[in-house]
mmCIF file of all heavy atoms in Angstrom:
data_model
loop_
_atom_site.group_PDB
_atom_site.id
_atom_site.type_symbol
_atom_site.label_atom_id
_atom_site.label_comp_id
_atom_site.label_asym_id
_atom_site.label_seq_id
_atom_site.Cartn_x
_atom_site.Cartn_y
_atom_site.Cartn_z
ATOM 1 N N VAL B 44 -46.909 7.601 21.434
ATOM 2 C CA VAL B 44 -45.543 7.713 21.978
ATOM 3 C C VAL B 44 -45.310 9.138 22.481
ATOM 4 O O VAL B 44 -44.805 9.359 23.589
ATOM 5 C CB VAL B 44 -44.471 7.298 20.935
ATOM 6 C CG1 VAL B 44 -43.073 7.438 21.510
ATOM 7 C CG2 VAL B 44 -44.703 5.875 20.441
ATOM 8 N N SER B 45 -45.720 10.107 21.663
ATOM 9 C CA SER B 45 -45.595 11.509 22.075
ATOM 10 C C SER B 45 -46.504 11.791 23.271
ATOM 11 O O SER B 45 -46.113 12.489 24.210
ATOM 12 C CB SER B 45 -46.007 12.449 20.948
ATOM 13 O OG SER B 45 -45.204 12.229 19.834
ATOM 14 N N TYR B 46 -47.703 11.247 23.216
ATOM 15 C CA TYR B 46 -48.665 11.503 24.289
ATOM 16 C C TYR B 46 -48.121 11.043 25.646
ATOM 17 O O TYR B 46 -48.183 11.764 26.640
ATOM 18 C CB TYR B 46 -49.991 10.786 23.990
ATOM 19 C CG TYR B 46 -50.975 10.855 25.113
ATOM 20 C CD1 TYR B 46 -51.684 12.033 25.370
ATOM 21 C CD2 TYR B 46 -51.169 9.764 25.963
ATOM 22 C CE1 TYR B 46 -52.577 12.109 26.419
ATOM 23 C CE2 TYR B 46 -52.059 9.836 27.017
ATOM 24 C CZ TYR B 46 -52.756 11.012 27.251
ATOM 25 O OH TYR B 46 -53.625 11.085 28.305
ATOM 26 N N HIS B 47 -47.541 9.839 25.671
ATOM 27 C CA HIS B 47 -47.065 9.301 26.952
ATOM 28 C C HIS B 47 -45.671 9.774 27.353
ATOM 29 O O HIS B 47 -45.359 9.858 28.532
ATOM 30 C CB HIS B 47 -47.092 7.768 26.936
ATOM 31 C CG HIS B 47 -48.460 7.198 27.069
ATOM 32 N ND1 HIS B 47 -49.181 7.303 28.228
ATOM 33 C CD2 HIS B 47 -49.252 6.548 26.181
ATOM 34 C CE1 HIS B 47 -50.366 6.725 28.064
ATOM 35 N NE2 HIS B 47 -50.439 6.262 26.824
ATOM 36 N N PHE B 48 -44.809 10.011 26.359
ATOM 37 C CA PHE B 48 -43.416 10.310 26.703
ATOM 38 C C PHE B 48 -42.883 11.613 26.099
ATOM 39 O O PHE B 48 -41.734 11.968 26.339
ATOM 40 C CB PHE B 48 -42.508 9.150 26.241
ATOM 41 C CG PHE B 48 -42.801 7.842 26.916
ATOM 42 C CD1 PHE B 48 -43.617 6.886 26.307
ATOM 43 C CD2 PHE B 48 -42.269 7.568 28.165
ATOM 44 C CE1 PHE B 48 -43.891 5.678 26.929
ATOM 45 C CE2 PHE B 48 -42.533 6.356 28.793
ATOM 46 C CZ PHE B 48 -43.350 5.403 28.187
ATOM 47 N N GLY B 49 -43.673 12.270 25.285
ATOM 48 C CA GLY B 49 -43.196 13.502 24.648
ATOM 49 C C GLY B 49 -42.094 13.236 23.638
ATOM 50 O O GLY B 49 -41.218 14.082 23.453
ATOM 51 N N GLY B 50 -42.078 12.049 23.031
ATOM 52 C CA GLY B 50 -41.089 11.764 21.982
ATOM 53 C C GLY B 50 -39.980 10.834 22.441
ATOM 54 O O GLY B 50 -39.993 10.325 23.561
ATOM 55 N N LYS B 51 -39.004 10.613 21.546
ATOM 56 C CA LYS B 51 -37.954 9.627 21.795
ATOM 57 C C LYS B 51 -37.051 10.024 22.959
ATOM 58 O O LYS B 51 -36.685 9.183 23.791
ATOM 59 C CB LYS B 51 -37.123 9.439 20.513
ATOM 60 C CG LYS B 51 -36.271 8.191 20.544
ATOM 61 C CD LYS B 51 -35.661 7.842 19.187
ATOM 62 C CE LYS B 51 -34.442 8.674 18.908
ATOM 63 N NZ LYS B 51 -33.563 8.077 17.864
ATOM 64 N N LYS B 52 -36.700 11.313 23.023
ATOM 65 C CA LYS B 52 -35.813 11.776 24.085
ATOM 66 C C LYS B 52 -36.476 11.609 25.462
ATOM 67 O O LYS B 52 -35.845 11.160 26.426
ATOM 68 C CB LYS B 52 -35.429 13.237 23.837
ATOM 69 C CG LYS B 52 -34.287 13.728 24.686
ATOM 70 C CD LYS B 52 -33.617 14.963 24.099
ATOM 71 C CE LYS B 52 -32.751 15.648 25.119
ATOM 72 N NZ LYS B 52 -33.490 16.664 25.920
ATOM 73 N N GLY B 53 -37.757 11.965 25.525
ATOM 74 C CA GLY B 53 -38.499 11.825 26.777
ATOM 75 C C GLY B 53 -38.607 10.377 27.214
ATOM 76 O O GLY B 53 -38.525 10.058 28.404
ATOM 77 N N LEU B 54 -38.760 9.511 26.222
ATOM 78 C CA LEU B 54 -38.836 8.069 26.488
ATOM 79 C C LEU B 54 -37.512 7.568 27.093
ATOM 80 O O LEU B 54 -37.501 6.858 28.103
ATOM 81 C CB LEU B 54 -39.137 7.381 25.150
ATOM 82 C CG LEU B 54 -39.359 5.882 25.064
ATOM 83 C CD1 LEU B 54 -40.236 5.373 26.171
ATOM 84 C CD2 LEU B 54 -39.985 5.523 23.722
ATOM 85 N N LEU B 55 -36.418 7.989 26.478
ATOM 86 C CA LEU B 55 -35.097 7.611 26.999
ATOM 87 C C LEU B 55 -34.932 8.095 28.441
ATOM 88 O O LEU B 55 -34.517 7.341 29.332
ATOM 89 C CB LEU B 55 -34.005 8.218 26.104
ATOM 90 C CG LEU B 55 -32.565 8.037 26.595
ATOM 91 C CD1 LEU B 55 -32.132 6.586 26.470
ATOM 92 C CD2 LEU B 55 -31.608 8.936 25.806
ATOM 93 N N GLU B 56 -35.274 9.368 28.676
ATOM 94 C CA GLU B 56 -35.116 9.943 30.013
ATOM 95 C C GLU B 56 -35.949 9.191 31.045
ATOM 96 O O GLU B 56 -35.484 8.921 32.151
ATOM 97 C CB GLU B 56 -35.507 11.435 30.006
ATOM 98 C CG GLU B 56 -34.428 12.287 29.365
ATOM 99 C CD GLU B 56 -34.873 13.719 29.110
ATOM 100 O OE1 GLU B 56 -35.992 14.090 29.541
ATOM 101 O OE2 GLU B 56 -34.113 14.458 28.475
ATOM 102 N N GLU B 57 -37.173 8.849 30.643
ATOM 103 C CA GLU B 57 -38.045 8.150 31.600
ATOM 104 C C GLU B 57 -37.532 6.737 31.891
ATOM 105 O O GLU B 57 -37.579 6.282 33.030
ATOM 106 C CB GLU B 57 -39.488 8.126 31.113
ATOM 107 C CG GLU B 57 -40.407 7.631 32.214
ATOM 108 C CD GLU B 57 -41.824 8.186 32.145
ATOM 109 O OE1 GLU B 57 -42.033 9.265 31.542
ATOM 110 O OE2 GLU B 57 -42.711 7.541 32.704
ATOM 111 N N LEU B 58 -37.033 6.071 30.868
ATOM 112 C CA LEU B 58 -36.472 4.729 31.076
ATOM 113 C C LEU B 58 -35.299 4.783 32.048
ATOM 114 O O LEU B 58 -35.217 4.006 32.995
ATOM 115 C CB LEU B 58 -35.989 4.133 29.747
ATOM 116 C CG LEU B 58 -37.051 3.643 28.759
ATOM 117 C CD1 LEU B 58 -36.387 3.194 27.458
ATOM 118 C CD2 LEU B 58 -37.861 2.492 29.361
ATOM 119 N N VAL B 59 -34.379 5.705 31.771
ATOM 120 C CA VAL B 59 -33.176 5.808 32.595
ATOM 121 C C VAL B 59 -33.529 6.202 34.025
ATOM 122 O O VAL B 59 -33.072 5.574 34.985
ATOM 123 C CB VAL B 59 -32.157 6.802 31.973
ATOM 124 C CG1 VAL B 59 -31.014 7.091 32.931
ATOM 125 C CG2 VAL B 59 -31.629 6.261 30.649
ATOM 126 N N SER B 60 -34.378 7.226 34.176
ATOM 127 C CA SER B 60 -34.635 7.672 35.541
ATOM 128 C C SER B 60 -35.495 6.675 36.305
ATOM 129 O O SER B 60 -35.279 6.480 37.504
ATOM 130 C CB SER B 60 -35.194 9.095 35.592
ATOM 131 O OG SER B 60 -36.424 9.148 34.931
ATOM 132 N N SER B 61 -36.421 5.986 35.640
ATOM 133 C CA SER B 61 -37.202 5.008 36.412
ATOM 134 C C SER B 61 -36.314 3.822 36.817
ATOM 135 O O SER B 61 -36.470 3.277 37.906
ATOM 136 C CB SER B 61 -38.450 4.551 35.655
ATOM 137 O OG SER B 61 -38.106 3.647 34.642
ATOM 138 N N PHE B 62 -35.355 3.449 35.942
ATOM 139 C CA PHE B 62 -34.412 2.401 36.331
ATOM 140 C C PHE B 62 -33.641 2.806 37.594
ATOM 141 O O PHE B 62 -33.555 2.048 38.555
ATOM 142 C CB PHE B 62 -33.420 2.103 35.197
ATOM 143 C CG PHE B 62 -32.320 1.155 35.589
ATOM 144 C CD1 PHE B 62 -32.541 -0.216 35.615
ATOM 145 C CD2 PHE B 62 -31.063 1.616 35.971
ATOM 146 C CE1 PHE B 62 -31.543 -1.103 36.008
ATOM 147 C CE2 PHE B 62 -30.061 0.742 36.371
ATOM 148 C CZ PHE B 62 -30.303 -0.622 36.380
ATOM 149 N N TYR B 63 -33.094 4.022 37.576
ATOM 150 C CA TYR B 63 -32.280 4.450 38.723
ATOM 151 C C TYR B 63 -33.102 4.747 39.972
ATOM 152 O O TYR B 63 -32.616 4.560 41.084
ATOM 153 C CB TYR B 63 -31.401 5.648 38.363
ATOM 154 C CG TYR B 63 -30.134 5.203 37.689
ATOM 155 C CD1 TYR B 63 -29.853 5.558 36.381
ATOM 156 C CD2 TYR B 63 -29.221 4.399 38.353
ATOM 157 C CE1 TYR B 63 -28.691 5.116 35.749
ATOM 158 C CE2 TYR B 63 -28.076 3.958 37.750
ATOM 159 C CZ TYR B 63 -27.810 4.320 36.443
ATOM 160 O OH TYR B 63 -26.669 3.885 35.849
ATOM 161 N N GLU B 64 -34.341 5.224 39.797
ATOM 162 C CA GLU B 64 -35.203 5.433 40.968
ATOM 163 C C GLU B 64 -35.332 4.111 41.739
ATOM 164 O O GLU B 64 -35.147 4.059 42.950
ATOM 165 C CB GLU B 64 -36.610 5.892 40.547
ATOM 166 C CG GLU B 64 -36.722 7.347 40.144
ATOM 167 C CD GLU B 64 -36.597 8.303 41.314
ATOM 168 O OE1 GLU B 64 -36.829 7.896 42.456
ATOM 169 O OE2 GLU B 64 -36.230 9.479 41.063
ATOM 170 N N GLY B 65 -35.633 3.049 40.998
ATOM 171 C CA GLY B 65 -35.800 1.738 41.627
ATOM 172 C C GLY B 65 -34.498 1.212 42.210
ATOM 173 O O GLY B 65 -34.487 0.634 43.305
ATOM 174 N N TYR B 66 -33.435 1.440 41.498
ATOM 175 C CA TYR B 66 -32.103 0.964 41.886
ATOM 176 C C TYR B 66 -31.678 1.600 43.223
ATOM 177 O O TYR B 66 -31.269 0.918 44.158
ATOM 178 C CB TYR B 66 -31.157 1.345 40.750
ATOM 179 C CG TYR B 66 -29.723 0.889 40.827
ATOM 180 C CD1 TYR B 66 -29.325 -0.270 40.171
ATOM 181 C CD2 TYR B 66 -28.754 1.640 41.485
ATOM 182 C CE1 TYR B 66 -28.000 -0.679 40.179
ATOM 183 C CE2 TYR B 66 -27.427 1.229 41.496
ATOM 184 C CZ TYR B 66 -27.054 0.074 40.847
ATOM 185 O OH TYR B 66 -25.742 -0.321 40.857
ATOM 186 N N ILE B 67 -31.806 2.919 43.298
ATOM 187 C CA ILE B 67 -31.401 3.635 44.515
ATOM 188 C C ILE B 67 -32.344 3.284 45.667
ATOM 189 O O ILE B 67 -31.919 3.124 46.806
ATOM 190 C CB ILE B 67 -31.384 5.169 44.269
ATOM 191 C CG1 ILE B 67 -30.322 5.524 43.209
ATOM 192 C CG2 ILE B 67 -31.136 5.937 45.562
ATOM 193 C CD1 ILE B 67 -28.892 5.235 43.581
ATOM 194 N N ARG B 68 -33.615 3.125 45.342
ATOM 195 C CA ARG B 68 -34.589 2.756 46.368
ATOM 196 C C ARG B 68 -34.192 1.432 47.046
ATOM 197 O O ARG B 68 -34.248 1.303 48.270
ATOM 198 C CB ARG B 68 -35.995 2.659 45.727
ATOM 199 C CG ARG B 68 -37.126 2.226 46.666
ATOM 200 C CD ARG B 68 -37.351 3.215 47.799
ATOM 201 N NE ARG B 68 -37.396 4.575 47.289
ATOM 202 C CZ ARG B 68 -38.486 5.312 47.160
ATOM 203 N NH1 ARG B 68 -39.648 4.799 47.507
ATOM 204 N NH2 ARG B 68 -38.420 6.551 46.714
ATOM 205 N N LYS B 69 -33.753 0.470 46.237
ATOM 206 C CA LYS B 69 -33.316 -0.825 46.771
ATOM 207 C C LYS B 69 -32.181 -0.637 47.777
ATOM 208 O O LYS B 69 -32.172 -1.247 48.848
ATOM 209 C CB LYS B 69 -32.807 -1.738 45.639
ATOM 210 C CG LYS B 69 -33.887 -2.255 44.726
ATOM 211 C CD LYS B 69 -34.661 -3.366 45.408
ATOM 212 C CE LYS B 69 -35.988 -3.564 44.692
ATOM 213 N NZ LYS B 69 -36.933 -4.345 45.476
ATOM 214 N N ILE B 70 -31.217 0.187 47.396
ATOM 215 C CA ILE B 70 -30.069 0.432 48.279
ATOM 216 C C ILE B 70 -30.530 1.122 49.557
ATOM 217 O O ILE B 70 -30.171 0.725 50.668
ATOM 218 C CB ILE B 70 -28.993 1.295 47.568
ATOM 219 C CG1 ILE B 70 -28.496 0.587 46.296
ATOM 220 C CG2 ILE B 70 -27.827 1.596 48.514
ATOM 221 C CD1 ILE B 70 -27.517 1.403 45.468
ATOM 222 N N GLU B 71 -31.373 2.158 49.399
ATOM 223 C CA GLU B 71 -31.840 2.938 50.553
ATOM 224 C C GLU B 71 -32.601 2.088 51.558
ATOM 225 O O GLU B 71 -32.394 2.219 52.768
ATOM 226 C CB GLU B 71 -32.757 4.081 50.075
ATOM 227 C CG GLU B 71 -31.980 5.303 49.654
ATOM 228 C CD GLU B 71 -32.868 6.379 49.021
ATOM 229 O OE1 GLU B 71 -34.035 6.085 48.686
ATOM 230 O OE2 GLU B 71 -32.366 7.499 48.851
ATOM 231 N N VAL B 72 -33.487 1.248 51.045
ATOM 232 C CA VAL B 72 -34.298 0.427 51.946
ATOM 233 C C VAL B 72 -33.388 -0.432 52.830
ATOM 234 O O VAL B 72 -33.508 -0.420 54.056
ATOM 235 C CB VAL B 72 -35.306 -0.449 51.155
ATOM 236 C CG1 VAL B 72 -35.891 -1.537 52.038
ATOM 237 C CG2 VAL B 72 -36.410 0.411 50.561
ATOM 238 N N VAL B 73 -32.446 -1.143 52.198
ATOM 239 C CA VAL B 73 -31.553 -1.987 52.997
ATOM 240 C C VAL B 73 -30.708 -1.128 53.932
ATOM 241 O O VAL B 73 -30.542 -1.449 55.113
ATOM 242 C CB VAL B 73 -30.641 -2.848 52.093
ATOM 243 C CG1 VAL B 73 -29.680 -3.662 52.937
ATOM 244 C CG2 VAL B 73 -31.460 -3.752 51.177
ATOM 245 N N TYR B 74 -30.203 -0.018 53.409
ATOM 246 C CA TYR B 74 -29.330 0.850 54.202
ATOM 247 C C TYR B 74 -30.015 1.289 55.500
ATOM 248 O O TYR B 74 -29.433 1.241 56.574
ATOM 249 C CB TYR B 74 -28.936 2.074 53.370
ATOM 250 C CG TYR B 74 -27.936 2.984 54.036
ATOM 251 C CD1 TYR B 74 -26.572 2.739 53.944
ATOM 252 C CD2 TYR B 74 -28.361 4.099 54.761
ATOM 253 C CE1 TYR B 74 -25.650 3.568 54.559
ATOM 254 C CE2 TYR B 74 -27.455 4.930 55.381
ATOM 255 C CZ TYR B 74 -26.099 4.672 55.277
ATOM 256 O OH TYR B 74 -25.193 5.491 55.887
#
Side-chain angles (χ1 to χ4, degrees):
Chain B
V44 179
S45 301
Y46 173 76
H47 285 292
F48 297 97
K51 196 168 80 160
K52 193 160 164 271
L54 183 43
L55 174 71
E56 284 170 6
E57 190 151 337
L58 286 175
V59 170
S60 62
S61 76
F62 173 80
Y63 277 116
E64 283 289 338
Y66 184 96
I67 296 296
R68 178 63 47 106
K69 289 284 162 195
I70 301 175
E71 275 173 347
V72 166
V73 177
Y74 185 85

